[in-house]
Amino acid sequence: MTERRKDLAVIALLALILLAFFSRILFTDKVIRAPDIINEFYWWVDSLRRGGFAEFFKTLQFSPGWDIYINSGATDEGGGIAGQLIHLYRPLLLMLLPAPANVAWFIVLHLLFGGVGVYACCRLIGTGRAAALFGGLIFVLAPETVSLINAGHVIKIATICFVPWVFYVIEKAFQTRRLIWFMATSVILTAQFCGGHWQIVYYTCLALAVYSIGRTVGIVISERAQGAPSSLPRLLAYNLVVLFFFLSTVAVSLAPLANWSTHSNRGVKSGANQGKGGLERQEAMSWSLPPEELGAMVIPGLFGLSRKEGGENPTNVPSYYWGRMVFTQTASYMGLLPWLLIPVPLLFRRDKYTWLAVAAVVGGLLFSMGKYTPFYNLLYDYFPGINRFRVPKMIMFIPLLGVGMLAARGIDLLVREEVRDTVAFRRYMWGVAAVPLILATLFCSELFGARLWMSLLSPLITEPNRFEQGPQLVAQRWGNLVTETGIAAVLALGIAGVMIAFGRRWLSARATVIMLVLLFVADVWRVNDKFLFTIQLPEHSRGVKTPEVDFISKGIDHYRVLPVGGDPMYFATNKIPVLFTSNPIQQRRWQELLDVFNLNTSMADMLNVKYLVYPSEQYLQDKGQLDRKYQPVYQAPDGHQIVLENKSVLPKAWLVPSVVTVNGGLAPQVMLSPNFDPRKTALVESEPPFRMGAFGQEQSGFNGEVAIRTYEGRRISLSATTNANCLLVIGEKYYQGWQAFVDGNRTEIYPANHVLRGVYLTPGKHTVEFRFDPLPFKIGKYLTLASLALFAGMLIREWLLCRKRVKSEE
């Protein structure tokens, strides 16, 4: 059997293991019970399947879009277009595989891709196939990765699975010192970036920078020790190639997204973080890993597991998370065996790869602790980009990769005869044997010293969470802690027993590896089983139109709906525009309005909110507080939903005869006043270009009308007639990527009422057109096309050189 076939056989074995491990969520007619899947991701899946292949290919276009259905209009300025093309397989995969298990297949196939990447990395640095397979299993089966399924973080998992390939290609580049591999690193990073989870990519880039610097310094030191000529200038040039070629290749996404983020509630113009932009310190450091939870790397249920959220919950979780984070949907556990194997390469192979993997583990864990360390606080204050993200713990995929690489090297060394016969190995065995003893001692202290332990853990162990409260919590949590400690002690004893049996030559090397891998799989299966929970697909996620949706669809026209206490994405996927959809990153102006939004003001009128959809019980509670303009017009046959119509809603566009200049930040507060009438006056941030009617004076002579001619995502055209200077206000978000043309001539768009678009008109008949055509996307597109053309040229050159070498060898 050739070497390539042997590698393919191992990859096939990895695939079979994953199929067996995840069979519970793969071979089913149920869906993963994760709110982010049921309420968000599955809407996309369902819309793809309902539209079919023909409709899907119609939507593919190389131009930025504006989604009229969500959040009163939303865009990424074209930043996601490259992802649609590069990751075209994603929607095709989801359409081809049977629903609703296609979401699980999507996840597991990406995990296979990541596992193969770790296998390739391990082989590249010299481990055997069995050890490399074990490294891949650690990366894809560790609860640190698998529990992301419980959170419904589908795109996050897919993005993480590119990470091993990034490091494989950069290591190949350093080993060969060939330009094409450094350029390929940039291309892989671009593919990862276009996958959609930018925080994961940012952390990957940080880790890649540390790795490249470490490898460069190591090479230069080695050359100096050997008296060889320094390759520092060449290596620095190659590292700069990775940086700049990545920036140019990813420009089609990065340029529009960079511009988009500037105007978001995390951008520089947001005024947050003392005017520097980004998130406030407390929010940016949310979900920092508390130091005491490092103990959960050994005892997985130390602080409980999973969490409750609306709907069914697994019955095999005796205690939900009760640590110091706000809550957590995931577990940081990576398996006990990998940690016990890490000392082996530190004892027997202290080379560059061992130290780089150790740096990944230590640096990643330190980073994940966030606010609990001065290290992260310094990064927040001085390192660019850190303050744009929250959840420092999200970097844990980097320590996991480091642990997988070290454990693979560890098991590879462990079964070698020359290692087993050393004094250091015997000392290592003593250390391994001490672990179950320590855990057993801890278990006994918990059994017989419960009162002391509880006093030490108080008030943490007594603190209720948003799902659980009551005096039973302490006993429930303590019982789980003791049980988990006992299980960890038994597992450690089993691992130590196998290793000692090998050391005494009672087991062969092959049998030892098989037994250790089985112990690892059993260990992580026990934990992951608490996160792989499926339910029947809820009716509202099946694309079934409810009677209230049918009713609203007939009268929505160009208006919007606001589901109160309901799921807005259900309406959006049925082509009904909604006022608001939840997103931690919003346009700054929009977020400022949302912060003060009040249904009993004219805000809903000017934002074209025609319908409110209320759960009947909630409507009965809120009825007395709602303005009389909201009148019931429909009740669902089952009585669960009631639709209210806003009788004061403004049309999509209207003309106002007067404006008032206010500071931009004050406009939302002014709109809270009952005296503010958007029909008569608009709030603007600069003086109008010509004289208009005075505020407060009766405008009885003013007359005008507006008609919508075209209303599409990227283009809106109107006809307007007026007998006086006025401001045309359209109930669409003001956004820098839009252009306006009056009678074919380019004109400026002004922010009106803080979040809407306004165009000044003189008396007469006019044709007004709005087009969405942001400049950053155009610049990025041509940079990316040029970079890809250069890379294609380099690939052709490599192919020709390879053919030339083959012919010369013949």
Side-chain angles (χ1 to χ4, degrees):
M1 186 181 288
T2 63
E3 294 299 307
R4 179 173 294 182
R5 287 187 176 181
K6 289 177 182 178
D7 287 329
L8 290 175
V10 174
I11 291 169
L13 177 59
L14 174 62
L16 288 173
I17 293 171
L18 291 185
L19 286 175
F21 195 91
F22 293 105
S23 59
R24 177 176 172 182
I25 61 174
L26 291 174
F27 305 103
T28 179
D29 60 351
K30 297 181 178 180
V31 70
I32 297 165
R33 198 227 65 135
D36 283 8
I37 290 176
I38 295 170
N39 297 331
E40 295 178 23
F41 189 78
Y42 200 79
W43 290 118
W44 177 54
V45 175
D46 183 64
S47 63
L48 284 172
R49 294 178 64 83
R50 280 192 287 161
F53 290 101
E55 186 66 28
F56 167 69
F57 284 110
K58 281 182 186 177
T59 63
L60 292 178
Q61 53 182 339
F62 205 49
S63 55
W66 181 272
D67 191 337
I68 62 175
Y69 297 107
I70 64 172
N71 234 354
S72 298
T75 185
D76 59 6
E77 293 195 29
I81 290 172
Q84 292 179 3
L85 300 175
I86 292 173
H87 299 285
L88 186 61
Y89 71 90
R90 290 183 176 181
L92 296 178
L93 192 67
L94 290 165
M95 285 191 282
L96 287 169
L97 291 168
N102 53 355
V103 178
W105 280 98
F106 181 90
I107 292 169
V108 174
L109 288 173
H110 276 94
L111 290 176
L112 176 61
F113 175 68
V116 174
V118 176
Y119 174 82
C121 285
C122 292
R123 294 288 290 148
L124 187 63
I125 64 173
T127 68
R129 288 186 176 84
L133 172 63
F134 181 55
L137 287 175
I138 291 171
F139 189 74
V140 298
L141 298 186
E144 170 58 41
T145 299
V146 175
S147 59
L148 291 171
I149 297 173
N150 175 68
H153 293 167
V154 180
I155 298 303
K156 185 187 294 183
I157 294 170
T159 309
I160 285 171
C161 290
F162 274 85
V163 176
W165 290 103
V166 171
F167 286 96
Y168 171 80
V169 176
I170 192 64
E171 178 53 32
K172 192 79 172 177
F174 277 109
Q175 288 186 12
T176 61
R177 313 281 177 88
R178 293 173 65 186
L179 179 62
I180 189 67
W181 285 104
F182 287 96
M183 295 175 72
T185 304
S186 301
V187 173
I188 296 294
L189 271 177
T190 297
Q192 188 197 30
F193 185 93
C194 294
H197 203 290
W198 306 310
Q199 187 169 354
I200 296 296
V201 182
Y202 178 76
Y203 289 161
T204 303
C205 290
L206 290 181
L208 180 66
V210 173
Y211 188 90
S212 297
I213 292 169
R215 283 291 273 125
T216 300
V217 171
I219 290 169
V220 171
I221 292 173
S222 177
E223 289 172 339
R224 185 170 296 176
Q226 296 171 11
S230 176
S231 57
L232 179 60
R234 185 182 178 190
L235 289 172
L236 288 177
Y238 281 152
N239 282 317
L240 289 175
V241 165
V242 174
L243 172 62
F244 289 109
F245 193 65
F246 167 63
L247 292 176
S248 62
T249 307
V250 80
V252 68
S253 285
L254 188 59
L257 287 172
N259 188 59
W260 166 83
S261 66
T262 302
H263 299 270
S264 75
N265 55 347
R266 296 189 187 181
V268 174
K269 296 181 180 180
S270 69
N273 186 19
Q274 293 79 48
K276 300 176 185 176
L279 296 167
E280 297 286 357
R281 184 178 298 268
Q282 184 174 356
E283 186 179 358
M285 297 188 187
S286 301
W287 289 277
S288 298
L289 182 70
E292 67 272 13
E293 291 191 29
L294 291 177
M297 301 285 183
V298 178
I299 306 171
L302 193 62
F303 292 91
L305 289 167
S306 187
R307 64 176 175 82
K308 271 190 172 182
E309 193 161 330
E312 264 187 279
N313 278 276
T315 57
N316 59 352
V317 181
S319 177
Y320 289 91
Y321 176 76
W322 50 275
R324 282 199 282 171
M325 286 187 287
V326 181
F327 64 84
T328 184
Q329 302 161 302
T330 63
S332 303
Y333 191 58
M334 302 177 190
L336 179 59
L337 177 60
W339 291 105
L340 295 179
L341 289 169
I342 285 177
V344 180
L346 288 171
L347 288 170
F348 300 104
R349 188 168 289 173
R350 284 176 282 192
D351 60 8
K352 54 183 176 289
Y353 300 121
T354 294
W355 293 122
L356 285 167
V358 168
V361 175
V362 175
L365 287 175
L366 190 63
F367 188 101
S368 71
M369 292 183 201
K371 64 183 178 182
Y372 301 107
T373 68
F375 169 70
Y376 192 85
N377 280 275
L378 286 170
L379 289 176
Y380 173 85
D381 288 330
Y382 301 108
F383 197 87
I386 294 291
N387 61 24
R388 296 306 194 267
F389 301 106
R390 58 181 186 176
V391 195
K393 184 181 175 291
M394 200 180 291
I395 204 173
M396 286 294 289
F397 65 93
I398 294 295
L400 176 60
L401 180 60
V403 167
M405 300 286 283
L406 287 169
R409 301 195 93 193
I411 205 167
D412 203 37
L413 291 164
L414 186 70
V415 294
R416 295 189 179 185
E417 288 292 334
E418 64 270 22
V419 168
R420 182 164 57 179
D421 294 333
T422 62
V423 174
F425 179 80
R426 288 194 290 273
R427 290 174 180 168
Y428 168 71
M429 284 291 104
W430 279 109
V432 171
V435 174
L437 183 61
I438 293 169
L439 288 171
T441 303
L442 179 62
F443 176 72
C444 291
S445 73
E446 290 169 353
L447 281 179
F448 301 108
R451 184 172 298 178
L452 175 62
W453 276 108
M454 287 193 192
S455 65
L456 291 173
L457 290 173
S458 182
L460 255 187
I461 199 167
T462 61
E463 184 71 22
N465 57 38
R466 55 182 180 162
F467 304 113
E468 299 173 305
Q469 51 275 322
Q472 81 285 353
L473 281 183
V474 175
Q476 172 186 308
R477 290 167 175 175
W478 180 253
N480 180 71
L481 188 153
V482 173
T483 301
E484 289 289 327
T485 305
I487 292 172
V490 172
L491 174 65
L493 182 62
I495 294 170
V498 172
M499 289 188 178
I500 291 169
F502 171 71
R504 300 297 297 270
R505 289 177 167 78
W506 298 337
L507 284 176
S508 66
R510 179 176 293 182
T512 300
V513 171
I514 292 172
M515 291 185 70
L516 288 177
V517 171
L518 288 175
L519 280 170
F520 168 76
V521 172
D523 176 25
V524 295
W525 166 256
R526 183 187 73 85
V527 179
N528 289 335
D529 185 52
K530 304 178 191 307
F531 293 99
L532 301 177
F533 187 56
T534 57
I535 59 170
Q536 290 292 340
L537 187 67
E539 186 175 279
H540 74 273
S541 299
R542 297 176 191 164
V544 178
K545 279 192 176 184
T546 59
E548 57 267 29
V549 164
D550 277 332
F551 172 81
I552 292 171
S553 297
K554 295 171 184 175
I556 196 66
D557 198 17
H558 300 133
Y559 295 101
R560 297 190 176 95
V561 64
L562 174 59
V564 181
D567 185 357
M569 289 305 296
Y570 171 64
F571 293 88
T573 53
N574 281 288
K575 305 300 183 185
I576 296 175
V578 294
L579 174 76
F580 170 72
T581 52
S582 179
N583 195 319
I585 306 178
Q586 300 277 12
Q587 185 190 3
R588 175 180 57 85
R589 288 175 177 273
W590 182 240
Q591 185 63 58
E592 289 169 352
L593 182 74
L594 291 176
D595 289 341
V596 298
F597 182 80
N598 190 319
L599 278 172
N600 292 334
T601 66
S602 57
M603 291 180 182
D605 305 341
M606 71 180 196
L607 290 170
N608 305 137
V609 178
K610 185 175 182 179
Y611 295 111
L612 307 182
V613 182
Y614 258 98
S616 298
E617 291 184 7
Q618 188 175 347
Y619 173 64
L620 292 175
Q621 296 173 6
D622 296 352
K623 183 178 179 181
Q625 303 172 13
L626 282 174
D627 193 284
R628 292 182 180 179
K629 64 184 178 183
Y630 300 111
Q631 294 296 315
V633 290
Y634 181 81
Q635 186 165 22
D638 61 6
H640 290 160
Q641 299 284 337
I642 189 164
V643 178
L644 309 179
E645 183 177 345
N646 178 9
K647 299 297 184 180
S648 298
V649 66
L650 281 161
K652 177 55 65 179
W654 66 98
L655 302 169
V656 293
S658 65
V659 297
V660 174
T661 305
V662 296
N663 181 285
L666 295 177
Q669 298 295 329
V670 175
M671 286 186 281
L672 288 173
S673 170
N675 297 321
F676 172 67
D677 187 351
R679 295 163 181 78
K680 299 178 180 179
T681 305
L683 305 178
V684 295
E685 298 170 16
S686 60
E687 293 296 328
F690 41 64
R691 186 171 180 176
M692 295 184 65
F695 172 67
Q697 294 184 2
E698 186 65 35
Q699 304 292 328
S700 56
F702 177 75
N703 190 19
E705 60 181 20
V706 183
I708 301 291
R709 298 167 59 184
T710 305
Y711 183 68
E712 300 170 347
R714 298 179 59 231
R715 180 173 173 268
I716 302 173
S717 63
L718 316 93
S719 59
T721 303
T722 177
N723 64 350
N725 292 337
C726 65
L727 180 69
L728 167 69
V729 180
I730 184 168
E732 297 288 317
K733 281 182 184 173
Y734 172 81
Y735 195 81
Q736 68 274 8
W738 283 91
Q739 300 173 2
F741 299 84
V742 176
D743 301 324
N745 299 313
R746 177 82 178 268
T747 190
E748 185 174 354
I749 301 176
Y750 295 87
N753 299 338
H754 199 58
V755 293
L756 303 181
R757 300 175 214 157
V759 172
Y760 287 102
L761 298 177
T762 55
K765 294 183 178 180
H766 301 285
T767 297
V768 182
E769 185 176 7
F770 294 91
R771 301 177 197 162
F772 188 61
D773 192 21
L775 179 62
F777 176 80
K778 294 179 183 177
I779 297 171
K781 177 173 69 173
Y782 292 116
L783 279 172
T784 293
L785 291 174
S787 292
L788 291 177
L790 175 60
F791 186 66
M794 290 295 295
L795 286 176
I796 294 170
R797 176 178 176 272
E798 287 293 315
W799 178 69
L800 293 174
L801 289 173
C802 182
R803 285 191 63 186
K804 187 176 179 181
R805 282 195 300 271
V806 171
K807 285 183 179 180
S808 64
E809 289 172 1
E810 291 175 351

